[in-house]
Amino acid sequence: KKTKPVSSIAAKRRALIMSAALKEFAENGYKGASVQKIADVANLSKSNVLYYFTSKKRLYSEIMQSILSMWNSSFDNVTSSDCPAHALANYIAEKMEISRTNPYSSKVFAIEIINGSPNLDPTFKREHKLWVQDRITVIEGWIAAKKIDNINPEFLLYQIWSSTQYYADFSSQIENLHGTELSKQAYAQATDTVVKLILKGC
């Protein structure tokens, strides 16, 4: 029987640990999470977790970077020459799909921000701010070309985030009010609603 290459085993274990950590951080925040709990969920020893991630802080940092990477979308490459309606609709749809398929990621980020961002490393903050500034420039280009109304680009981004990430961050409230977890079809209807509301506002 052939054994898997060490690199393949390591990659699988890292992914397992990251998945367990994402759930733990989403449910308990950075302060309430523990390496032992993460190890238990991953069905590994604590020492095994620390072999791949030297500390809880290091693991958390990688989780946050993975969230930032996951949020990369077609909107990252949009320019002022692109159609704003098409670009914004695609961005909203992508954000809604992430809320549907990766709710823990949004919840981890939300808990961190609500607590004042005490555990966000400078690199994350810098990259996120640069991205926002770059996207604001694009939206300002649309405004200058009279492709959209003269609205505040920064607040437009906040509106998109709040409208889409709500479906992940407050999923328990939605489930309670809706009567059940939103189906894929219901998410599609919600996405269409959010797109129409935001585009009409532009």
Side-chain angles (χ1 to χ4, degrees):
K1 184 179 177 179
K2 294 182 179 180
T3 58
K4 292 184 178 180
V6 174
S7 58
S8 176
I9 295 173
K12 186 176 180 180
R13 285 182 178 172
R14 281 180 61 88
L16 193 63
I17 293 167
M18 289 279 282
S19 177
L22 188 63
K23 183 175 185 296
E24 178 66 14
F25 288 132
E27 293 178 347
N28 301 295
Y30 178 79
K31 189 174 181 180
S34 73
V35 175
Q36 185 60 62
K37 288 180 183 177
I38 293 169
D40 292 342
V41 173
N43 199 29
L44 296 169
S45 67
K46 180 178 178 179
S47 60
N48 209 236
V49 172
L50 292 175
Y51 173 79
Y52 293 101
F53 301 91
T54 54
S55 66
K56 183 172 80 167
K57 187 173 182 60
R58 176 63 181 171
L59 177 53
Y60 189 76
S61 178
E62 293 211 24
I63 286 289
M64 296 306 291
Q65 284 297 330
S66 73
I67 292 172
L68 190 62
S69 296
M70 180 191 66
W71 282 345
N72 289 339
S73 67
S74 60
F75 193 58
D76 296 4
N77 301 312
V78 166
T79 69
S80 295
S81 63
D82 291 315
C83 171
H86 182 71
L88 291 173
N90 281 346
Y91 183 46
I92 292 166
E94 289 173 353
K95 292 287 291 178
M96 286 291 286
E97 182 64 8
I98 290 172
S99 285
R100 185 182 75 85
T101 58
N102 295 279
Y104 283 141
S105 295
S106 185
K107 289 178 180 179
V108 169
F109 189 78
I111 291 172
E112 177 65 26
I113 298 302
I114 287 170
N115 288 325
S117 311
N119 305 297
L120 285 184
D121 61 50
T123 299
F124 184 98
K125 291 181 179 179
R126 184 174 62 254
E127 289 179 2
H128 195 46
K129 189 171 184 178
L130 287 173
W131 182 90
V132 169
Q133 291 172 337
D134 187 58
R135 297 301 86 194
I136 285 175
T137 299
V138 170
I139 297 170
E140 287 174 339
W142 288 335
I143 294 171
K146 300 188 183 305
K147 292 181 178 180
I148 65 173
D149 292 342
N150 186 14
I151 57 176
N152 187 299
E154 180 184 352
F155 298 154
L156 172 59
L157 290 174
Y158 296 162
Q159 183 61 48
I160 291 173
W161 299 343
S162 63
S163 298
T164 56
Q165 289 168 220
Y166 171 88
Y167 286 86
D169 301 341
F170 293 90
S171 57
S172 60
Q173 182 185 43
I174 291 175
E175 186 174 341
N176 179 59
L177 296 172
H178 189 67
T180 183
E181 183 178 322
L182 291 186
S183 64
K184 190 173 182 179
Q185 182 181 11
Y187 252 98
Q189 293 173 346
T191 300
D192 185 57
T193 299
V194 175
V195 169
K196 285 179 178 178
L197 288 172
I198 291 177
L199 292 190
K200 278 182 178 292
C202 295

